[in-house]
Amino acid sequence: MEIKKEKAKILKKIKETKSLKELDEVFKEAQNEIKNFTQKLKKLSLKQRKKFGKEINELKEKLEKEYRAKKQVLQEKTKEKKEFFDVTAPGKKIELGSFHPITLVKNRAEEIFQSLGFEIILGPEIEDEWHNFDALNIPPDHPARDVLSLGKTFYLEEKKLMRSHTSSVQIRYMEKNNPPLKIVAPGKVFRKDAIDATHEIEFWQLEGLMVDKKISVANFKAIMEEFLKRFFEKEMKIRLRPSYFPFTEPSFEVDISCVICGGKGCQTCKESGWIEAGGAGMVHPQVFRNCKIDPKEWQGFAFGMGLTRLTMLKYKIPDIRYFHSGDLRFLKQF
Ligand code: 2NL
């Protein structure tokens, strides 16, 4: 039995291993070899059995000792490799989110109106008929109030509804506060509509109200022109066209010079040079009375405009459906 020769071979192999896997393989191989030697012992004489038995035990011990030692060395090495930290490598950047374009426009609009002395007010999205319709002088048979599919209002249980404009927020404010008033109410509003490139069932609006002793349409024009100039960062012309709303008298549509072509005529303004930006008027005396404000003492203008539409004009967004698409290719541009 060439135990000594085998011993040298095994120890050399262990020394040369480079990985834990390789070491384990060599160790198993050596154990098998030792098993073979042990089996061969049976055939030997007692004297020889004693001699070789001792040598085998020594080999076993030596093998285990070397195995443990080498294992530790290899383990240390892999640990070092894992813990290596390159301080010169550039850091991993955290992906930053961004504001939704409507939020950007809402924030900017609020900032401008605040600097013009208006207070920002908020109110509930779920409303009652009084604040959304009756107080605004909208008669019970008005088509917008139709509970059938023809109407554009989303009705809920117990005569509640989703507000169709933020006028309701201004009514709530007038019920609790005495004039003079200078407020704007931004917020989400809801209307039953067939969704297409310019219509959604949920969109953003901003309404404003200024009430004092001698407020006129001239004040409205000045405020609106100043707002639009700051918002679009260029000189803007506005045009008032006679119109009708139950909550204002007189009432008008507010057109702005086309932000795409500057008034020359293009696809967006249908070659007219003007774009509809919202509506406005002098608050109807009945609306004041509904809020316990004396219309003989107070007067003022009110206006409403679509923040969603304003966002589309400012960033030249061709389709309203992008806003709720959740598409990062769209959102990351802002
Ligand atoms: C539009 C038209 C308008 C108002 C909103 C208003 C509010 C109160 C009293 C009187 Cl509390 N009026 N709001 C007035 C005229 C027009 O909005 O086209 N909006 C997008």
Side-chain angles (χ1 to χ4, degrees):
M1 296 234 282
E2 299 185 315
I3 295 177
K4 287 222 170 77
K5 209 170 147 195
E6 193 59 34
K7 188 173 167 182
K9 221 167 95 188
I10 289 170
L11 295 181
K12 185 167 173 267
K13 266 191 183 172
I14 288 181
K15 215 174 173 184
E16 284 166 358
T17 54
K18 288 193 176 65
S19 71
L20 287 165
K21 191 171 166 253
E22 202 185 334
L23 176 68
D24 280 340
E25 277 164 14
V26 170
F27 181 62
K28 269 201 193 109
E29 216 177 282
Q31 277 179 318
N32 282 338
E33 208 60 53
I34 291 168
K35 224 186 244 166
N36 287 342
F37 282 132
T38 315
Q39 263 157 10
K40 279 180 194 160
L41 277 180
K42 285 178 224 162
K43 294 174 194 151
L44 301 176
S45 66
L46 184 64
K47 200 178 155 206
Q48 276 188 318
R49 247 190 277 171
K50 268 191 181 166
K51 179 175 175 271
F52 288 120
K54 194 167 167 248
E55 275 180 32
I56 290 172
N57 279 340
E58 276 169 8
L59 172 59
K60 234 187 194 166
E61 269 170 40
K62 182 77 178 162
L63 171 69
E64 274 162 23
K65 201 174 140 203
E66 289 300 310
Y67 168 73
R68 277 197 297 272
K70 183 74 191 221
K71 191 170 176 173
Q72 205 169 1
V73 171
L74 288 175
Q75 274 172 340
E76 287 295 324
K77 259 195 193 155
T78 49
K79 226 181 181 174
E80 271 169 35
K81 235 192 233 166
K82 268 189 198 143
E83 276 176 10
F84 175 73
F85 183 77
D86 184 356
V87 289
T88 67
K92 278 195 196 124
K93 283 216 177 82
I94 294 169
E95 256 201 85
L96 288 182
S98 57
F99 281 116
H100 191 279
I102 295 177
T103 307
L104 292 174
V105 162
K106 180 182 77 90
N107 289 349
R108 179 67 187 132
E110 287 180 358
E111 197 173 72
I112 296 169
F113 278 111
Q114 276 177 312
S115 81
L116 294 172
F118 287 78
E119 191 185 337
I120 312 297
I121 57 159
L122 302 174
E125 289 177 357
I126 295 175
E127 264 299 358
D128 50 46
E129 293 196 280
W130 170 257
H131 292 98
N132 199 76
F133 293 128
D134 298 309
L136 284 154
N137 202 34
I138 300 172
D141 60 352
H142 191 280
R145 299 180 67 161
D146 196 337
V147 281
L148 300 173
S149 57
L150 299 163
K152 290 203 169 177
T153 308
F154 287 108
Y155 284 93
L156 307 170
E157 286 170 357
E158 293 163 15
K159 289 196 142 194
K160 296 275 193 216
L161 49 85
M162 301 306 290
R163 68 178 180 202
S164 58
H165 40 213
T166 57
S167 313
S168 53
V169 181
Q170 309 203 84
I171 293 293
R172 284 177 181 280
Y173 190 87
M174 282 197 283
E175 284 175 335
K176 290 209 178 83
N177 297 275
N178 295 321
L181 311 169
K182 262 178 110 177
I183 55 175
V184 288
K188 222 194 278 180
V189 300
F190 308 83
R191 285 180 201 178
K192 257 195 259 174
D193 244 323
I195 295 173
D196 63 21
T198 53
H199 295 85
E200 256 282 17
I201 55 167
E202 158 180 336
F203 56 97
W204 286 76
Q205 218 202 4
L206 183 139
E207 284 214 9
L209 183 71
M210 185 169 181
V211 180
D212 209 325
K213 304 259 171 180
K214 283 183 175 166
I215 297 298
S216 73
V217 175
N219 296 116
F220 168 69
K221 239 191 140 192
I223 290 282
M224 209 26 127
E225 267 170 355
E226 185 59 27
F227 168 76
L228 292 167
K229 184 171 132 185
R230 294 202 208 167
F231 182 79
F232 286 106
E233 294 168 328
K234 62 179 174 199
E235 217 54 57
M236 300 282 294
K237 267 197 235 142
I238 75 167
R239 180 177 80 168
L240 305 183
R241 265 184 302 121
S243 185
Y244 173 79
F245 302 114
F247 30 86
T248 45
E249 183 59 36
S251 308
F252 22 82
E253 302 286 336
V254 183
D255 294 341
I256 59 174
S257 49
C258 180
V259 291
I260 310 289
C261 66
K264 285 188 204 77
C266 68
Q267 245 184 331
T268 304
C269 63
K270 297 194 189 92
E271 306 300 330
S272 73
W274 296 97
I275 300 180
E276 268 183 45
M282 296 303 289
V283 179
H284 196 290
Q286 188 55 44
V287 174
F288 278 139
R289 279 193 288 271
N290 290 342
C291 301
K292 311 270 184 301
I293 291 172
D294 183 1
K296 290 209 175 74
E297 197 182 342
W298 304 98
Q299 60 184 41
F301 65 75
F303 63 93
M305 57 186 174
L307 279 180
T308 301
R309 187 162 152 71
L310 222 49
T311 309
M312 292 173 79
L313 291 175
K314 176 148 181 168
Y315 295 115
K316 304 189 177 29
I317 296 163
D319 195 311
I320 199 170
R321 289 166 290 197
Y322 281 118
F323 292 124
H324 286 164
S325 67
D327 191 333
L328 289 177
R329 292 170 303 179
F330 170 71
L331 295 169
K332 279 184 172 174
Q333 296 176 61
F334 302 95

